[in-house]
Amino acid sequence: MKYQIKASKNLAVKTDCLVVAVRPLKNMSSQQRELNDKTGKAIDRLQAAGLLSGKKKQIVSLPAPSGVGASKILFVGIGRAKKLDSESVRILLNGLARQLKDLGPDTVSFDLAALVSKSDMQTVSRHLIEALGDSQYRYIKQPKAARDNAKKKQLKCTILCDSRTLAAQARKGAAIGQAINNGKTLAKNLANMPGNICTPSYLASQARKLGNSHGLKVRVLNEKQMRELGMGSLLSVSLGSRQPAKLIVMQYTGAKNKAQAPHALVGKGLTFDAGGISLKPSPKMDEMKYDMCGAASVFGALLAAAELQLPINIVGVVPSSENLPDGSANKPGDVVTSMSGQTIEILNTDAEGRLILCDALTYTERFKPQTVIDIATLTGAVIVALGHQTAGVMGNDQGVIDDLLAAGDTSLDFAWQLPLKETYKKQLKSEYADLANIGGPSAGTITAGCFLSYFAEKFRWAHLDIAGTAWGGSVGKRASGRAVPILTQYLIDRCQ
Ligand code: BES
Ligand code: MN
Ligand code: ZN
């Protein structure tokens, strides 16, 4: 998708589709009044006929209007503007974007001035670009359709603003929206890819590609190197797989001071989670190709950060493996030694995410990070607690948690804090090791967070459980691109 911002007092632009946001009745802006005049009072006539009330989510199309450059006009009702917070704006724009997808114009121009009330033009533009990006997204079928899809034409959109001030705001918002959009697209592409193609080695190759295109320093550790570091927990998950595990490290250096402490993003990269010997049931097991959405979010957020040239340093750490049953796979009751030295009794081989993340967290200590966020499709329990709408947040530093929650609100990629209290930790007691890898049937998301906390003692840390938000829900069996928005916003906010 391509976009441009135009400071123009005139809505008579040449375009396949002109989108005009309207408030209920009469409240026309001067440009809308001019549009009304130019189109032979089309707005007046639609309103007189009761076809255009401007109520929220109403979309009225005016085909082949005369007197203007647009082939058609879409009037979008926005309801009483004072009620419109950024979430309502986004819902409205999502609906509009879906309608545009069905109409399929090559070019579209937007007059969204009426939407600017509680939300400013920067927010409106940002969410417009993201909504369009979501609706325009198409998965490139693997492997042979890639060529056909490469030719796919891109939507060209223009945001019309009647003043330079508004145009400047729109430009800022659209740039953020576009960067997040590109990050989400990368995350969606990686996540939707089948597990036989998107393996740990494939993720590593994509990291190198991202490094080359966006100036990141990339290093990939193989199993031998991980063994030398003592990553017995991470490597144990990969024992049942023919695909070698990888630890992918991507460094973005945007700060003037190259030695400035980075913010670390650690993403779970399970390219397929069958559960191992604690095998998962067959229905919907295919969805466990999405168990690398934490990793995909790290790729996406780094891409967005690089495109926005954020003046901070960031390190992305992605532990990647498959989790499959096999004669040499982990067995319930096995004890492994993590890189931290702490031993772990694996009571359920399906609680594998924490086993790869714990060593990745210990590895991350070497970067002396300012903050560490890990992102993982870690527990089914978070879907029970928060559904597909909201991610779960825990951590050892309320400041980091609050910053992450705030980034979720700004980006509309919502998160909610769960209590990481001492009292839950006893559920991880083991007879045979320092820790058990499961904490029993209650508070599954929290005990998973507790487990990770034992490996995050040396830095300010928060954990984001995206098992509910990364795919599914109203998005269907598709990757949503989350948590790219919340992570990117978190990084943007660190630049002040
Ligand atoms: N990747 C899964 C979590 C998951 C499950 C994500 C369903 C999305 C949908 C994770 O590795 C897992 O299997 N977790 C177990 C933990 C349990 C064994 C303590 C779970 O949630 O059932
Ligand atoms: Mn699992
Ligand atoms: Zn998993």
Side-chain angles (χ1 to χ4, degrees):
M1 185 180 55
K2 285 187 182 146
Y3 74 86
Q4 58 170 346
I5 315 293
K6 235 185 191 163
S8 150
K9 294 224 178 279
N10 193 348
L11 293 184
V13 286
K14 190 148 177 46
T15 178
D16 289 349
C17 183
L18 174 66
V19 174
V20 182
V22 287
R23 292 194 192 93
L25 298 173
K26 300 269 162 8
N27 249 330
M28 273 188 268
S29 67
S30 59
Q31 296 127 291
Q32 290 177 0
R33 239 175 281 128
E34 200 183 318
L35 185 71
N36 188 38
D37 293 341
K38 281 198 174 136
T39 54
K41 309 273 181 206
I43 299 178
D44 284 347
R45 281 185 291 123
L46 283 169
Q47 290 193 341
L51 293 169
L52 179 63
S53 68
K55 71 174 187 223
K56 204 156 149 190
K57 293 191 198 170
Q58 180 184 51
I59 298 185
V60 176
S61 53
L62 184 66
S66 56
V68 287
S71 313
K72 54 176 150 307
I73 303 179
L74 277 194
F75 294 103
V76 186
I78 65 167
R80 273 181 297 138
K82 61 175 181 248
K83 281 193 182 165
L84 280 185
D85 58 10
S86 61
E87 190 187 5
S88 330
V89 165
R90 180 58 187 269
I91 291 169
L92 216 127
L93 293 174
N94 282 340
L96 171 64
R98 274 193 299 272
Q99 182 103 358
L100 284 170
K101 161 101 183 163
D102 293 342
L103 285 173
D106 293 339
T107 60
V108 53
S109 298
F110 296 89
D111 164 29
L112 298 178
L115 269 177
V116 178
S117 57
K118 212 170 156 187
S119 302
D120 54 23
M121 194 62 198
Q122 180 176 333
T123 308
V124 170
S125 309
R126 166 196 187 144
H127 290 299
L128 171 70
I129 298 293
E130 245 197 275
L132 291 170
D134 275 334
S135 68
Q136 299 285 321
Y137 175 78
R138 256 176 67 205
Y139 176 65
I140 299 166
K141 277 195 187 143
Q142 294 298 322
K144 72 176 181 10
R147 232 177 315 121
D148 316 341
N149 279 273
K151 283 180 252 152
K152 181 184 88 171
K153 59 176 187 240
Q154 288 193 34
L155 177 69
K156 287 197 193 92
C157 90
T158 305
I159 302 176
L160 302 168
C161 299
D162 70 353
S163 74
R164 292 221 174 152
T165 325
L166 282 180
Q169 287 179 17
R171 205 160 281 127
K172 212 168 154 194
I176 294 173
Q178 180 81 332
I180 289 180
N181 197 32
N182 291 339
K184 279 166 86 176
T185 299
L186 172 62
K188 289 177 192 177
N189 283 340
L190 291 172
N192 287 327
M193 216 167 260
N196 60 327
I197 295 176
C198 184
T199 60
S201 303
Y202 181 83
L203 276 185
S205 73
Q206 293 308 294
R208 292 219 170 80
K209 197 172 148 198
L210 181 62
N212 286 335
S213 59
H214 286 76
L216 312 179
K217 190 176 142 206
V218 175
R219 188 171 169 221
V220 179
L221 275 65
N222 61 26
E223 292 192 345
K224 180 166 171 276
Q225 292 165 311
M226 290 191 262
R227 207 165 295 121
E228 280 159 14
L229 288 165
M231 298 188 172
S233 183
L234 192 165
L235 288 169
S236 79
V237 174
S238 192
L239 288 173
S241 165
R242 316 273 163 106
Q243 295 290 338
K246 303 284 174 189
L247 185 76
I248 302 162
V249 183
M250 296 169 277
Q251 285 176 280
Y252 166 77
T253 312
K256 274 208 195 89
N257 173 7
K258 301 220 180 316
Q260 191 178 88
H263 294 279
L265 303 178
V266 182
K268 173 178 173 183
L270 244 295
T271 58
F272 191 77
D273 177 15
I277 297 298
S278 312
L279 192 63
K280 283 184 184 296
S282 300
K284 297 215 266 179
M285 205 209 267
D286 60 298
E287 294 186 14
M288 282 300 122
K289 71 175 183 183
Y290 290 122
D291 213 13
M292 36 58 74
C293 282
S297 305
V298 174
F299 279 69
L302 279 167
L303 170 71
E307 284 196 356
L308 292 170
Q309 300 183 327
L310 297 185
I312 50 173
N313 296 334
I314 310 166
V315 55
V317 178
V318 169
S320 185
S321 168
E322 293 184 323
N323 185 26
L324 296 174
D326 178 80
S328 50
N330 276 335
K331 303 174 293 298
D334 285 0
V335 172
V336 297
T337 304
S338 66
M339 182 180 174
S340 73
Q342 298 173 96
T343 58
I344 303 160
E345 184 185 13
I346 300 171
L347 287 172
N348 188 322
T349 66
D350 198 10
E352 84 299 334
R354 60 199 82 181
L355 295 177
I356 66 167
L357 284 168
C358 69
D359 281 341
L361 285 169
T362 304
Y363 181 81
T364 301
E365 285 171 10
R366 71 187 47 210
F367 300 105
K368 300 192 168 49
Q370 290 187 44
T371 68
V372 179
I373 312 280
D374 82 76
I375 313 95
T377 49
L378 204 60
T379 64
V382 81
I383 310 173
V384 179
L386 299 171
H388 293 282
Q389 291 89 335
T390 308
V393 179
M394 284 145 277
N396 62 10
D397 186 291
Q398 195 56 42
V400 179
I401 293 168
D402 287 342
D403 287 341
L404 200 53
L405 292 171
D409 288 342
T410 307
S411 62
L412 304 176
D413 183 358
F414 299 120
W416 196 257
Q417 185 175 7
L418 298 173
L420 201 72
K421 302 284 184 203
E422 207 54 39
T423 173
Y424 293 98
K425 294 191 177 167
K426 54 180 176 285
Q427 287 177 232
L428 294 171
K429 278 213 173 101
S430 159
E431 291 284 331
Y432 300 96
D434 296 328
L435 284 170
N437 79 326
I438 53 170
S442 62
T445 302
I446 298 175
T447 53
C450 287
F451 180 93
L452 295 176
S453 73
Y454 287 98
F455 304 86
E457 285 171 351
K458 304 223 169 100
F459 38 65
R460 300 169 71 211
W461 157 80
H463 157 63
L464 197 60
D465 193 334
I466 58 166
T469 56
W471 80 94
S474 62
V475 183
K477 198 182 274 204
R478 288 190 193 132
S480 64
R482 293 172 72 178
V484 172
I486 186 175
L487 293 176
T488 306
Q489 186 63 47
Y490 175 82
L491 296 169
I492 291 172
D493 293 344
R494 303 281 75 68
C495 298
Q496 268 100 51

